[in-house]
Amino acid sequence: MQKETLTIKRLGINGEGIGYIHKKICFIPKALPGEEADVEIDVNERRYMIGHITHLRKISPARVESPCRQSKNCQGCAFMHMNYPDQLLFKRDLIEETLKKYTNLSLRQIKILPVIEANQPLHYRSSIAFAISEFSKELRIGLYQRGTKFFSLMDECLLHDKEINRVLVNIEYLLNKHHMKAYNDKTKKGLRFLIVKCVEEKLQVVFVTGEDGLSKKVSHELSLDKQISGIFYTVNTARYQDFNMAGYKKIYGDSYLKYHINNHVYALSIKSDLWMHKEMEEKKLEILKNLISEDDVVLSLYAGNGIIESELPSFVTALEEEKWHVEDAGRNVKDNKIIGKVFIKADINEEVSRQTKKHKFDCMLIHLRKDLLDEDILDSIIKSKMKVVIFTSENISALSKGISQLENNYKVIYFQSFDEPYTARFQTIVKMVRK
């Protein structure tokens, strides 16, 4: 095993420490800038190395003892070993570095606001999807770490909503009580994955199973949990893991989770995407409401469950590619008697061109999912002379590339990010206006 000593110069986009060995970049997970570390090299490729810490000779003042019992091996949280204020500073620096890399913006001419910190930095995650596997002769729920066979148990995760952790413990108990088996690829039977969603302390539980489905004894006992509003299952024996394609069969309870905001009640189906951090999502919504005026006519792309579009003060035409999101959004605006909202299921590249030719819009709201704006979307923005373009994105690299595609015609006037604590992730809103 190759052993080296190096100084960590900076953090990478995924939160790993970066140093150099004989001028070759070396990624060291859980290392912090300024630290001097003895490391062992696990991967040595032509252009990079990956290693792990064996001893810290110099420790960063930003380092804290991780409170997570799985942190030594789990790759899920980038920053359990870093104090929270320094996480926010890192993300602010990462934003500036990424903008410099992908755009020609002068950072002196735009005001990048400090990353908004979370009042609730722990126990915020509202949705999980994990494997069900045999571990120490019992069925456990957890996560296989990338590039390893290590299985991290996830029933005490510090990021999960506490209700999710509680129900994971109960599910593990019931699965073992009734002698359930993990999925066997040869027989096509057994339990594969578990999905749990939590909204306002109510839970939806989905089992992904082999051909034998889910034991009635397990589903019955689970249904006695008063916080569980619905139990579903789907049979999946294929290698792909897009469970929404096959659909879900309801075993028990309600079909929807209820979310209350601004005197409205949104019913979210089992396929509907949920926010990662409810507090941050609501702050994002309030800022969008201030950035978009009541008189604006808005075209929204990749609208998802449509809650943001429904809560905006203006007239909105929202485009979305997934049928279940459009169905949820349409039903919710009708049930809440919200007017001035139109949700359309469509190929977004084709529909955005049609909409901008047929109608006059003041603002395009783009929930950016790709690395680059498709040419049809870019062409529609430029040709329609859209006054305002607003991006929301969870990927700072993709966002910077989107800004770069428009910066000859638009200028950035607002830049705000929202934290997802103890991970390398964060969301960002950018408002651009036509030059």
Side-chain angles (χ1 to χ4, degrees):
M1 183 70 70
Q2 181 180 348
K3 298 182 179 182
E4 300 283 353
T5 299
L6 77 167
T7 299
I8 304 302
K9 301 295 186 182
R10 57 189 174 89
L11 293 178
I13 195 168
N14 296 311
E16 66 278 74
I18 292 178
Y20 295 87
I21 298 173
H22 307 304
K23 297 184 179 180
K24 184 188 290 188
I25 192 168
C26 185
F27 299 99
I28 308 294
K30 306 187 189 305
L32 296 175
E35 292 187 327
E36 186 176 330
D38 294 333
V39 302
E40 288 186 355
I41 304 303
D42 304 305
V43 177
N44 191 345
E45 299 290 344
R46 185 169 65 88
R47 294 186 176 181
Y48 68 92
M49 298 179 182
I50 301 174
H52 66 273
I53 297 171
T54 58
H55 174 70
L56 283 173
R57 298 185 176 207
K58 182 180 178 182
I59 298 175
S60 166
R63 180 173 289 278
V64 296
E65 184 176 351
S66 171
C68 176
R69 66 185 177 95
Q70 294 285 345
S71 63
K72 182 177 180 181
N73 296 297
C74 180
Q75 299 170 0
C77 301
F79 295 129
M80 277 295 171
H81 59 290
M82 188 179 193
N83 72 54
Y84 188 41
D86 283 290
Q87 296 174 39
L88 300 173
L89 293 176
F90 155 69
K91 292 175 183 181
R92 171 63 182 268
D93 290 343
L94 177 62
I95 290 166
E96 293 192 0
E97 289 174 11
T98 310
L99 288 172
K100 288 177 183 177
K101 180 177 180 180
Y102 291 112
T103 77
N104 294 314
L105 294 176
S106 170
L107 299 185
R108 294 180 179 179
Q109 295 178 358
I110 62 173
K111 184 178 181 180
I112 301 174
L113 297 169
V115 178
I116 294 178
E117 67 179 287
N119 294 323
Q120 183 180 345
L122 296 174
H123 298 298
Y124 60 80
R125 192 163 283 175
S126 59
S127 179
I128 61 99
F130 292 129
I132 300 173
S133 184
E134 186 172 318
F135 182 86
S136 297
K137 298 183 179 180
E138 289 187 320
L139 282 195
R140 301 299 298 270
I141 298 162
L143 180 68
Y144 283 102
Q145 301 303 323
R146 294 184 301 273
T148 75
K149 294 183 179 180
F150 191 87
F151 188 71
S152 295
L153 305 180
M154 299 303 293
D155 54 8
E156 294 183 9
C157 179
L158 295 175
L159 298 192
H160 297 169
D161 188 291
K162 290 181 180 180
E163 277 299 311
I164 290 180
N165 282 342
R166 182 191 64 79
V167 83
L168 290 182
V169 172
N170 189 29
I171 289 171
E172 287 180 334
Y173 167 74
L174 292 176
L175 295 183
N176 289 294
K177 174 184 175 181
H178 294 290
H179 308 291
M180 302 301 294
K181 300 294 183 184
Y183 183 73
N184 185 305
D185 198 40
K186 292 181 179 179
T187 64
K188 306 295 183 185
K189 293 182 179 180
L191 302 176
R192 295 189 71 186
F193 299 96
L194 181 75
I195 301 167
V196 182
K197 297 182 177 183
C198 182
V199 176
E200 297 176 2
E201 298 187 347
K202 291 294 184 179
L203 300 156
Q204 287 177 332
V205 178
V206 181
F207 290 89
V208 181
T209 77
E211 294 171 350
D212 50 341
L214 181 67
S215 162
K216 290 183 179 180
K217 292 180 180 179
V218 171
S219 60
H220 170 69
E221 290 196 42
L222 198 56
S223 71
L224 301 178
D225 188 323
K226 293 182 179 179
Q227 298 308 115
I228 293 179
S229 68
I231 303 173
F232 305 77
Y233 83 97
T234 183
V235 174
N236 185 297
T237 59
R239 292 191 178 275
Y240 68 86
Q241 296 178 13
D242 187 353
F243 308 132
N244 284 335
M245 290 180 65
Y248 301 100
K249 296 179 181 179
K250 185 172 70 173
I251 301 171
Y252 158 82
D254 297 328
S255 298
Y256 306 101
L257 287 171
K258 300 293 180 64
Y259 170 57
H260 297 75
I261 186 171
N262 298 331
N263 298 317
H264 295 144
V265 181
Y266 291 91
L268 302 171
S269 65
I270 188 61
K271 291 184 178 181
S272 188
D273 289 339
L274 291 186
W275 48 85
M276 191 62 71
H277 196 307
K278 176 173 170 284
E279 175 196 341
M280 294 292 101
E281 190 73 8
E282 291 179 352
K283 287 181 178 180
K284 183 174 77 173
L285 171 59
E286 289 308 306
I287 287 176
L288 286 171
K289 288 165 70 174
N290 289 327
L291 294 178
I292 299 172
S293 77
E294 187 175 349
D295 295 330
D296 285 338
V297 180
V298 179
L299 179 62
S300 176
L301 311 188
Y302 307 104
N305 60 34
I307 293 176
I308 285 176
E309 285 69 19
S310 301
E311 291 294 317
L312 290 176
S314 48
F315 183 89
V316 181
T317 299
L319 309 184
E320 170 55 42
E321 294 180 338
E322 303 295 359
K323 178 182 178 182
W324 51 86
H325 282 145
V326 175
E327 289 175 347
D328 276 6
R331 182 186 63 256
N332 282 321
V333 293
K334 180 179 179 182
D335 291 347
N336 286 291
K337 297 181 173 58
I338 299 171
I339 61 173
K341 317 295 177 183
V342 178
F343 293 90
I344 300 171
K345 180 191 178 303
D347 178 292
I348 289 182
N349 290 338
E350 295 178 1
E351 187 64 21
V352 71
S353 178
R354 194 181 75 83
Q355 288 288 332
T356 53
K357 288 177 181 177
K358 188 176 180 181
H359 304 288
K360 179 67 175 176
F361 295 97
D362 302 298
C363 172
M364 185 177 289
L365 173 60
I366 305 173
H367 303 286
L368 195 61
R369 297 180 184 175
K370 300 179 179 180
D371 276 351
L372 290 171
L373 291 176
D374 290 292
E375 287 300 320
D376 291 333
I377 296 174
L378 186 61
D379 191 55
S380 296
I381 293 171
I382 303 302
K383 287 185 176 179
S384 67
K385 297 182 179 180
M386 194 76 60
K387 295 179 184 176
V388 175
V389 177
I390 297 176
F391 289 110
T392 74
S393 180
E394 297 177 348
N395 185 320
I396 187 61
S397 296
L399 177 60
S400 299
K401 292 175 185 177
I403 292 170
S404 176
Q405 288 178 282
L406 290 174
E407 64 182 334
N408 288 337
N409 302 91
Y410 291 80
K411 64 179 180 179
V412 174
I413 64 166
Y414 185 85
F415 200 112
Q416 178 69 75
S417 296
F418 309 80
D419 193 33
E420 189 178 321
Y422 295 100
T423 75
R425 294 185 291 272
F426 53 93
Q427 294 193 60
T428 303
I429 294 175
V430 172
K431 182 175 182 179
M432 304 182 75
V433 296
R434 191 171 183 84
K435 291 180 178 179

